[in-house]
Amino acid sequence: MKTKKSHGMVVSALRARTHFGSLLRRVEEERGSLVIEKRGTPRAVLLSIRDYVRLAAPEPEVLKAVGQESKENRTDTLSSREIDQLIRNTRAIHKARARKTKR
């Protein structure tokens, strides 16, 4: 059945499949996480959308810092094509340097 661990609730894959709706409600209401195990091995995590966004989205301070650095480097007005070209050029330079050091 369910076991409690310090990082959240743990359930088997079979139980998660058969009781998905109730587990989903529980994760949402408790704002916790749910580890899904298959044959005793953790395989996936179910967490509320709020927790996911909090973990996946950059913090506002990080976005401000990235924006400021972009302005300082004058890269804040580049188009997607220009960015892609800069990436290709930088990769080519790094590749050429790597070849030189191998000789």
Side-chain angles (χ1 to χ4, degrees), residues 49-80:
I49 192 68
R50 286 181 181 173
D51 288 341
Y52 174 76
V53 168
R54 185 177 47 82
L55 292 170
E59 294 291 325
E61 297 82 32
V62 172
L63 294 175
K64 286 179 186 175
V66 168
Q68 183 62 34
E69 186 174 336
S70 179
K71 285 179 184 176
E72 290 170 4
N73 293 328
R74 296 185 178 157
T75 57
D76 57 329
T77 59
L78 295 176
S79 69
S80 294

Side-chain angles (χ1 to χ4, degrees), residues 2-82:
K2 302 178 226 179
T3 59
K4 290 278 189 172
K5 293 193 178 178
S6 61
H7 52 60
M9 190 169 54
V10 178
V11 298
S12 69
L14 176 62
R15 182 161 177 83
R17 187 175 72 212
T18 58
H19 300 285
F20 188 75
S22 63
L23 293 172
L24 187 60
R25 274 190 301 280
R26 186 171 183 173
V27 166
E28 183 179 21
E29 290 168 3
E30 295 178 6
R31 295 186 187 159
S33 64
L34 170 75
V35 176
I36 302 169
E37 292 184 337
K38 187 170 184 177
R39 296 184 180 171
T41 303
R43 298 292 179 102
V45 175
L46 178 65
L47 55 131
S48 69
I49 192 68
R50 286 181 181 173
D51 288 341
Y52 174 76
V53 168
R54 185 177 47 82
L55 292 170
E59 294 291 325
E61 297 82 32
V62 172
L63 294 175
K64 286 179 186 175
V66 168
Q68 183 62 34
E69 186 174 336
S70 179
K71 285 179 184 176
E72 290 170 4
N73 293 328
R74 296 185 178 157
T75 57
D76 57 329
T77 59
L78 295 176
S79 69
S80 294
R81 286 185 182 190
E82 291 171 318

